[in-house]
Amino acid sequence: MMEKYQIIVLAIAIATFTGLNIVYRKSQKQKAQQIPDEQELHRILLEEVLFYQKLDAAEQESFRERIHHFLQLVRITPVRNLKITKTDKVLVAAAGIIPLFRFKNWMYNNLNEVLIYPDRFAADYSLDGDDRNVLGMVGDGAMHRTMILSLPSLRAGFVINSTGNTAIHEFVHLLDKSDGATDGIPEEILQHENVKPWIHLMHEYIREIREREITDINPYGATNEAEFFAVVSEYFFQRPERLQEMHPELYQLLDSAFNRTQ
């Protein structure tokens, strides 16, 4: 009797596992279908992402692999029946890959989902009311491991000659946060010998921006140390030649941080 019971239990377990496995494979297939194929992905990146255009063929292949990996791990979810395209998803992934591209084995371990809003939103994540002035945000509390981006700002950041990129800005915040503190000191990527020079230079720049001695850096960077790091990182990735010309010491420290291979 016991053997018969064990056989029945085993049969039920096998059937359950088989059913779950079918559902899993179907969900994975549906998920994969949301990712552009290799040719389409290459076309989108060539048309939309200047950073990708400047890479050689081998680096472009690596970038595409990182895009696929990102899209398999991170959900990108439109809200309020917003329609987003494959290109929009690729832009989100590209914004995440760009700051980490030279770090071959790195991925965001503090992000599960990116919510795409139809427009600006309030600091409490609301799309209603008159105080909707936020373009992007890394969530906290109940929204931990979640990023929010407005669709217009996501697209605007990849327009040729754009001076800012909200999505890159928010991913830099995640990178900053990965060492346990969002404090503008990216200890995970900044060499130990550069920490003190970075802190000194950062505070000097914040003071000068507040005193309006510097006008080519977004003044939002003077809000605090975390915003300074995110703002100048946008500048570094959007217009590196200009940053090098205008602020060579700042450029050198950022280049040393973001472009060292690990």
Side-chain angles (χ1 to χ4, degrees):
M1 185 70 178
M2 180 61 68
E3 290 180 357
K4 183 177 179 181
Y5 175 78
Q6 290 174 335
I7 291 171
I8 293 173
V9 170
L10 179 60
I12 293 173
I14 292 172
T16 301
F17 173 80
T18 302
L20 290 174
N21 194 38
I22 291 172
V23 171
Y24 172 79
R25 282 189 278 111
K26 284 183 177 179
S27 68
Q28 290 300 99
K29 184 177 180 181
Q30 291 170 352
K31 191 173 183 180
Q33 288 173 348
Q34 302 302 312
I35 302 175
D37 61 33
E38 192 73 4
Q39 184 175 355
E40 185 180 14
L41 179 57
H42 179 60
R43 176 189 59 78
I44 292 171
L45 289 168
L46 276 182
E47 291 177 355
E48 304 289 343
V49 181
L50 182 61
F51 182 91
Y52 180 82
Q53 295 170 17
K54 294 181 178 180
L55 302 176
D56 63 32
E59 290 173 328
Q60 288 182 347
E61 181 180 4
S62 176
F63 195 93
R64 293 194 301 273
E65 290 174 356
R66 300 280 289 273
I67 292 283
H68 276 281
H69 186 55
F70 182 99
L71 292 175
Q72 287 168 348
L73 292 177
V74 179
R75 296 187 302 274
I76 300 176
T77 308
V79 303
R80 286 202 175 179
N81 299 316
L82 178 67
K83 302 296 183 183
I84 62 173
T85 66
K86 287 182 181 180
T87 296
D88 295 323
K89 293 183 178 182
V90 169
L91 294 183
V92 172
I97 297 305
I98 287 170
L100 294 182
F101 182 62
R102 301 298 174 187
F103 300 85
K104 301 303 180 184
N105 299 315
W106 279 33
M107 183 52 70
Y108 300 95
N109 60 5
N110 50 1
L111 180 68
N112 292 337
E113 185 173 24
V114 178
L115 302 179
I116 307 297
Y117 276 31
D119 206 341
R120 295 170 180 258
F121 53 95
D124 63 357
Y125 318 120
S126 172
L127 275 164
D128 303 310
D130 298 326
D131 57 344
R132 295 178 293 113
N133 58 3
V134 182
L135 298 176
M137 179 183 292
V138 173
D140 205 354
M143 296 290 281
H144 177 56
R145 305 183 68 84
T146 302
M147 180 184 294
I148 306 172
L149 297 171
S150 77
L151 184 58
S153 67
L154 168 66
R155 292 173 175 173
F158 287 93
V159 172
I160 299 299
N161 295 324
S162 172
T163 57
N165 188 307
T166 298
I168 288 178
H169 182 108
E170 297 306 323
F171 277 106
V172 169
H173 278 319
L174 278 184
L175 175 60
D176 186 10
K177 190 178 182 179
S178 66
D179 61 16
T182 311
D183 56 4
I185 307 170
E187 295 179 21
E188 296 285 357
I189 64 171
L190 195 64
Q191 295 93 322
H192 178 73
E193 65 271 17
N194 286 337
V195 171
K196 286 186 177 179
W198 170 256
I199 293 173
H200 172 77
L201 194 64
M202 176 171 59
H203 289 157
E204 184 177 300
Y205 266 90
I206 289 174
R207 178 186 58 78
E208 291 181 1
I209 294 170
R210 288 173 178 172
E211 294 175 359
R212 299 187 178 182
E213 295 179 17
I214 298 175
T215 58
D216 63 303
I217 295 178
N218 185 342
Y220 187 64
T223 303
N224 54 46
E225 290 84 353
E227 295 303 342
F228 176 80
F229 175 50
V231 162
V232 296
S233 296
E234 285 183 80
Y235 197 158
F236 176 80
F237 289 113
Q238 293 293 99
R239 304 184 69 187
E241 296 85 2
R242 173 70 170 170
L243 180 63
Q244 186 175 24
E245 176 189 353
M246 298 293 292
H247 310 283
E249 188 177 0
L250 180 60
Y251 173 88
Q252 185 58 47
L253 283 172
L254 290 170
D255 184 63
S256 178
F258 284 117
N259 285 333
R260 64 190 181 100
T261 303
Q262 279 194 354

